Amino acid sequence: MFAVEEFTGEVVVYSSWFYDNVWLIPALPAASFLIILLFGKRLPYKGAEVGITAVLAAFGLALLTTFTWIADIETDGGAESHSEEAMAASGPELAVEAEDGKEGLKFSRGAPVINEVEWFGIGTDANRVTLGAEEGAAAADGDADDHGEGFGGGFSIPIGTLVDGQSVMLLFVVTFISSLVHIYSTDYVHGDRRFTHYYAFLSLFTASMLFMVLSSSTIQLIVGWELVGVCSFALIGHWWEEKPNSDAALKAFLTNRVGDIGLLVGMTILYFAAGRTFSIPEINEAAVAGDIGQGTLLISSLCLMAAVMSKSGQFILHTWLPDAMAGPTPVSALIHAATMVVAGVYLIGRLYPVFYEGFGIAGGSINAMAFIGGLTTVGGGLLAFVQRDIKKVLAYSTVSQLGYMVLALGVGAYTAGMFHLFTHAFFKACLFLGAGSVSHACHHSFDMKADMGGLRTYMPKTFWTFIIGTAALAGIPPLAGFWSKDEILVGTGAFPGTDGNGTFTIPFIFGLITAALTAAYMTRCVWLTFFGEYRGHAHPHESGPRITVPLIILAVMAVWVGFLNMPTAFVESVGLGSGWAHKFEDWVEPEGVATFVGGANGFTHAKPSLLLAIVATGLGLAAGLIVWRYYTALYAKDPKATEYSDGLASRNSLAAAGHRVLEQKYYLDHLYTDVVAGGTKGPLARAAYWFNQNVLDGVVNAAGYVSTLVGRFVYRYIDQGVVDRAVNVSGQSASESGRFLRRIQTGQVREYASLMFGAAAVLAAVFIFAF
């Protein structure tokens, strides 16, 4: 992020071994992938020990990098001040050129630290800090980067790492949750036929996401983005022998390719619009400074939104995400909590100036991002109601919560969106791993209606951790989801007295509806799974410590991480100093954020509202209570029942139609599978075949027939009638001439003398009569 200001002869540069060597964090799981793939089957634990060791080491480095970043933000403890004389003495790596009489620039807290190596061009290794302003930049050779004149000429691609609040936050989340998933998997997939393969790709999946998070250029980001997609394909289709699993993997891969077209087009537009640069900070700076036109920013933002819609499951490209539940449950937890599906949200945050200026968020009331996010958050919540598979309930819940994050970013609530990404990772991982624990006890079934019920007495640890995750997801205070959800609603600026970056009334209504929906469908999920009578077979039991300990850790995180961004009024009301307020905002969103986004449009933080928090929480509690009363009444009527046989859908045609639409998932799968794919393979393919046989082949056959006729004509009348006849005539003439000459040329001298005499006589007669 950019946070720069003018200075008077001094530049402040963050310096830390962890910043310089942050590349080790993705490198460790990447190396683990290679080791497991090559030697895993020969190791005692089939490669699991390598994967766990590597990801724990990466988590340790990420944690230390996070602490270093927080220390620098809080105290500037890692910063080094350099006067102009000191810079000149220290070498070119800290040199700052002054232009147009300006003394230069200074970093303020939270500016990005970039370590790059220039590739594909003339350049040397550079350990540099990019100032992100047009006045100058520090580079290894003391000159500004030259990214060339375009794809046709010489240019260089910077390959390196970008460390800032957003990337540090994701480093912590990804490595933390991946570590727990690695440990959890040792029990969950124990004895699997492709155990080693599983751990290899789990490591590569983690490495790919970390690589993308640290990308300093759009080229790197695209590479990391695609690697995440490839790994998800391998893990979703882990049990590829079963056709539904293979279909789900292909669906995820192909759906994401649709959005990736938008990613490539959008990045290409930004490359040229920002002055032929791949550098993410430079692109952001160009957007903030007004160097890119509004129309260009809008087009590139819309293209990039297509990528966000596919990767982060936004309506209407969300259909792959619930089907991705075909993979092992720990993979589902990793995908839905910390890796693939948050990549789109991360992309928006990383290029937020582009979206902020492109969609004209400042002072607005609606835009494409906010509307798509709002529609997704409500649509996903409604679909979660009609699922009987516990993992699909959580999958549609993820769709809904991702919509919440996109909505937040669409209304200008940057910190709220990033904070919800952060809190959601912990309680959603807790819920998915809890679903895996339940399935583990129910003979690997995920059917809540047929094989679950009453499990709270058999699995108390799983039950209580699941309850905590559910309460956090539903936004019940004081758990994590409450704080981030409340910030998003406040950030819309539609509630009186909140003063956001605009007045986004429609997204605000979407957000309130989702608050009620989330509590309602999670209450249904909890009841069908843990209450009533057990409807399954055999005897369920609590999972082992390698499953329950990660659940307990995640549940604890779901309780306290929300306190990292408490409003000032709250911390003061409970007797804490104001310094405890908005810590997440301070660490992830640096001061000087007006320079980061908004430019002349400005950028404000909405004011918290106690009344809005009460209203939103009240809606959630009321919706949950209604669902609870429904199921308690049903239980009193039939302890094993999961729904009323004479329910509203059976008595009301409108309710039945609505229920049918939800069961058919808005008919989007029908549209894609039957209409688009089926139409392509069916009527369209038949039409193309008919066109090929009757039009193209007809043209070809007609051309061949005409060519045959022409050939016959040429052969008969030209070749045979003219050419051959002329040749024959000339031959016959030559033969006749030869025959005549043979009669004259007898070889007898007296005959030649007679001819000469006759010729002389004729010639003499000519001369006599002529003259």
Side-chain angles (χ1 to χ4, degrees), residues 115-141:
N115 297 283
E116 290 181 342
V117 175
E118 301 294 338
W119 288 67
F120 303 111
I122 299 175
T124 58
D125 289 357
N127 183 6
R128 69 177 193 172
V129 179
T130 299
L131 295 179
E134 61 186 5
E135 284 79 6
D141 54 3

Side-chain angles (χ1 to χ4, degrees), residues 410-566:
V411 302
Y414 170 84
T415 300
M418 290 294 108
F419 189 45
H420 196 58
L421 185 156
F422 179 71
T423 59
H424 174 265
F426 300 106
F427 54 71
K428 185 52 63 71
C430 180
L431 290 171
F432 264 109
L433 296 184
S437 177
V438 168
S439 168
H440 202 58
C442 296
H443 303 281
H444 298 285
S445 171
F446 294 97
D447 193 329
M448 297 182 295
K449 291 188 174 183
D451 298 313
M452 297 183 188
L455 291 177
R456 71 186 188 280
T457 58
Y458 300 98
M459 311 178 70
K461 294 178 182 177
T462 300
F463 168 68
W464 284 111
T465 55
F466 200 92
I467 288 293
I468 292 172
T470 296
L473 173 61
I476 305 301
L479 303 180
F482 164 76
W483 302 101
S484 54
K485 176 205 69 179
D486 187 63
E487 281 199 41
I488 293 173
L489 294 175
V490 166
T492 62
F495 197 79
T498 51
D499 300 333
N501 286 287
T503 306
F504 294 87
T505 305
I506 294 176
F508 173 72
I509 294 171
F510 280 143
L512 283 180
I513 294 172
T514 302
L517 285 175
T518 306
Y521 67 69
M522 285 309 298
T523 301
R524 171 181 177 268
C525 178
V526 168
W527 178 275
L528 290 176
T529 304
F530 294 102
F531 289 84
E533 290 191 7
Y534 181 60
R535 297 176 292 275
H537 306 287
H539 300 285
H541 56 84
E542 184 61 275
S543 301
R546 286 177 291 175
I547 289 179
T548 57
V549 170
L551 289 177
I552 294 170
I553 293 172
L554 288 167
V556 170
M557 296 292 283
V559 171
W560 77 266
V561 292
F563 295 109
L564 292 176
N565 210 46
M566 295 179 293

Side-chain angles (χ1 to χ4, degrees), residues 91-108:
E93 67 274 7
L94 292 176
V96 178
E97 293 184 359
E99 297 180 4
D100 302 327
K102 296 181 180 180
E103 293 181 296
L105 299 168
K106 170 190 173 183
F107 270 107
S108 62

